[in-house]
Every structure is written in C-alpha cells, then in structure tokens.
Amino acid sequence: MSARRHFIKTTSLLLASLAINPKEIFAQSSQTNQAIIQKPIVLSTWRFGLKANEIAWKKLQEESRAIDAVEAGVRVIESDPTERSVGYGGRPDRDGHVTLDACIMDEFANIGSVAFLEHIKNPVSVARAVMEKTPHVMLVGDGALEFAIDQGFTKENLLTEESEKEWKEWLKTADYQPKVNIENHDTIGMIALDMHGNLSGACTTSGMAFKMHGRVGDSPLIGAGLYVDNEVGAATATGHGEEVIRVVGSHLVVELMRQGKSPEDACKEAIELIHKKLKLRNKNIDNTQIGFIALNKNGEYGAFALQKGFNYAVFNQQDENILIEVESLF
Ligand code: ASP
C-alpha cells in the first residue's frame, strides 16, 4: 500500500470510529487551517525497522521525546549480531575492521555524529554524547573512540565469527561489487514525531561491506543521511552513500517538503535528481540503489527509491507496525 493510500485508509478509519462525516472534518480543518496531525508516529528503513519501531513506539507511548525514541529504536539493530549491516556483527571493511558511522538530530537542530568508529557497539549513543557533551558536532576514528571510552562506553570486538568467515571468503577474490538490495549494505534510518509534536531522527550503519579502510558514507553526515527541521519534517536515506552525499539528499527532501511537496513527492524528486547526476557521469545504475523515507510535521509520511526492493516500517496511531513496499523510478 502506498503511504498516501495508507494515510487515507487510516484517516477514514479514524473518522469512522468517531462517526463524523469526513467532509465536515475537512471543512472545519480548512476553516481553522489546521490539518489532522497523526502523532506519535515512527518510521524506519528496511524490514529490520519493524523490530526497531517496537522499542521506539513504546518510548513514544510513554510520552518520551522523539530523540529518545529514535536512539532506543536503532540501538536494538546496532546490538543485534544477526543484523550484518549495522553495529555489532556488521560486515568489516576490506582489511577486516568493523568501522561504524552514525548520527542523530533533534527538534532544536542539535546534532551529533561519529564516523569511522571502531570497537563500540552503539555508535548512535556516542553520536548523542558528541551532541550533548562536546562543543563539536562530529568526531571520527581514534578521536571518537577515545571520547567514547572516556564517556564510559565499553571497547569490544565487533567482528563476529560469521562476519569474519564471510570476509575471508570475500578475500579469495577481493572483488568489490555493491549490488542493489543485496544485504551487503543497509542502513537503519529512523524518524519520529512524538506526542508533543516534535521531530527527531537517527541513522546508523557499518557502511558498505568490504569498503576501503577509512571510507565514510552518507549515514553520519547531517544533511546527507539524515535531516530534521522541526517546522517542516524529517528525512533519512539508505543505499549508495556516495550518490546521496552528491545531492545532500535528506536535506533536499526536507527543503522540498518546505516548498509544499508531500513526503513521497519530495523523496521522488530527490531520487530523480540523483538519477540525473548518475546519467551525467554515464554511470550504469543497475547495481545502484538509493531509498529515502520522509515524515512531515502533520505525521504524513512517504518514501521513494531508485530501484525496486526497498521497503520501510511504520508504527502508527492505529497500533499497527507495518512494512511498506516502496515505489521506484525503475
Ligand atoms: N548508506 C550507507 C552507506 O553508504 C549504506 C546503506 O544504506 O546501504 O554507507
């Protein structure tokens, strides 16, 4: 079901339960210029978003801030060794190091980020500590690790037996071929609107599997992998980070919503621009995937992808946690 259809469905369900004529409601809301706001609500990328949403939803129900909900939500995926594209158990770079990227942003435009961070299971919480406890917005590599240890995070080995085995197998050919929707790279990006009507987001990944040592993608870059403007909406990205960075994707989606585009249309326009830039450089798009999800201040949401196969999870006011298949340019 498209996000728009879903919104229409949920809105009609709400109206049915109130036994109110929908025309009346829309007439009233246009007179007072107030939209029906769906809150709280949380959405996150890919199927593992369903698991993350459960925890975030619980927080939102307790009237927690969206920032606490998104941090708690994505931590679940970071800590799970069976999820091989985020946090602990994430696939290593081509030299066998698990290096993690994450960022977080709240309703006051507070931002925090870490990149190329090793040995810490929950980089999103280190990003939050950067945001709250330093005068800076981003720490990388050894500096980020030292800071994390200083803050009481535990240094541990993140390379699980499974990921090590897979890396050793890859070393036999050492052929780096990122493939569309194949699980060698998938980020969790989560955006939420809380009971107080405030937005926040978080984004975390181990990046592309077997990437060059030191490679950083879009996920820890505020504006590229994640952006939140509490007056407008929030967006986050997954897929080939290099292409998302090129158009500062998530910021673009939010700005398009500011201009009046629906979340889905804003995501679609950002994907079209990425496609234009790929064509400009004569790039073959067969193995390239990019997906955006977006949420506006009214709790309306949507997504769009370059290729088929992208999905995202939404936990909404009807107490449903559902997976939505995303429409794509190809
Ligand atoms: N965007 C991530 C990166 O480029 C990977 C992904 O979402 O698939 O590191």
Side-chain angles (χ1 to χ4, degrees):
M1 190 190 311
S2 81
R4 184 173 313 164
R5 272 185 12 240
H6 177 73
F7 175 69
I8 290 167
K9 186 190 133 201
T10 50
T11 307
S12 348
L13 278 175
L14 182 71
L15 298 177
S17 69
L18 296 172
I20 292 173
N21 177 348
K23 278 192 201 135
E24 259 173 41
I25 279 268
F26 286 117
Q28 276 171 20
S29 50
S30 64
Q31 266 167 22
T32 55
N33 202 20
Q34 274 174 2
I36 298 171
I37 300 175
Q38 286 213 102
K39 61 180 184 172
I41 186 160
V42 57
L43 40 155
S44 49
T45 54
W46 303 108
R47 177 173 287 278
F48 51 31
L50 289 169
K51 249 190 299 182
N53 281 0
E54 293 285 341
I55 302 301
W57 182 253
K58 218 171 142 243
K59 287 262 175 203
L60 291 169
Q61 289 301 303
E62 291 162 0
E63 299 195 26
S64 293
R65 288 175 65 206
I67 188 88
D68 296 320
V70 295
E71 182 189 1
V74 302
R75 277 177 63 100
V76 176
I77 309 304
E78 287 181 338
S79 303
D80 183 344
T82 66
E83 299 297 358
R84 315 276 301 287
S85 55
V86 179
Y88 174 50
R91 294 183 180 87
D93 65 17
R94 65 185 191 183
D95 299 335
H97 302 270
V98 181
T99 73
L100 305 177
D101 300 336
C103 71
I104 194 158
M105 184 163 189
D106 76 4
E107 70 271 34
F108 303 111
N110 287 313
I111 54 178
S113 159
V114 288
F116 191 43
L117 171 63
E118 290 184 62
H119 306 301
I120 304 288
K121 201 182 255 179
N122 296 115
V124 72
S125 297
V126 185
R128 184 157 181 183
V130 170
M131 174 173 107
E132 290 177 343
K133 309 223 167 107
T134 80
H136 307 302
V137 299
M138 186 173 199
L139 292 177
V140 305
D142 287 347
L145 177 60
E146 274 167 35
F147 168 73
I149 292 167
D150 245 31
Q151 292 294 314
F153 289 84
T154 310
K155 184 173 176 182
E156 50 197 310
N157 175 26
L158 303 182
L159 186 65
T160 54
E161 244 175 64
E162 277 217 308
S163 282
E164 188 172 8
K165 219 168 103 196
E166 206 181 306
W167 167 62
K168 288 195 169 144
E169 199 48 47
W170 174 82
L171 277 179
K172 289 181 187 160
T173 56
D175 179 25
Y176 181 60
Q177 285 286 342
K179 297 239 169 70
V180 169
N181 295 328
I182 291 182
E183 303 260 327
N184 64 0
H185 65 94
D186 278 346
T187 296
I188 182 151
M190 176 180 270
I191 46 186
L193 180 66
D194 64 27
M195 295 264 206
H196 318 285
N198 290 321
L199 292 157
S200 291
C203 185
T204 175
T205 191
S206 51
M208 291 188 169
F210 320 131
K211 61 196 175 187
M212 285 176 71
H213 188 57
R215 182 262 185 192
V216 170
D218 60 318
S219 307
L221 303 181
I222 295 290
L226 174 73
Y227 199 70
V228 177
D229 185 318
N230 204 42
E231 287 181 5
V232 179
T236 186
T238 180
H240 283 68
E242 284 74 3
E243 302 311 321
V244 177
I245 294 170
R246 213 177 300 285
V247 301
V248 199
S250 295
H251 184 260
L252 174 62
V253 172
V254 172
E255 288 307 306
L256 288 166
M257 291 195 287
R258 192 194 304 280
Q259 290 166 22
K261 294 250 150 55
S262 71
E264 184 174 329
D265 288 350
C267 293
K268 185 171 179 204
E269 202 167 317
I271 291 288
E272 284 167 349
L273 183 64
I274 288 177
H275 179 231
K276 216 164 150 188
K277 302 291 181 204
L278 283 160
K279 274 204 328 210
L280 192 66
R281 288 157 35 249
N282 286 324
K283 294 284 175 197
N284 180 345
I285 62 150
D286 291 352
N287 287 328
T288 303
Q289 173 65 307
I290 295 121
F292 289 104
I293 61 172
L295 172 66
N296 71 17
K297 194 70 184 161
N298 294 334
E300 295 159 326
Y301 56 89
F304 207 79
L306 186 66
Q307 315 260 8
K308 287 190 179 54
F310 174 46
N311 47 38
Y312 69 108
V314 179
F315 209 132
N316 60 27
Q317 275 188 300
Q318 280 63 47
D319 236 16
E320 297 174 314
N321 190 13
I322 51 172
L323 194 69
I324 296 179
E325 292 301 323
V326 173
E327 287 186 35
S328 56
L329 206 55
F330 297 102

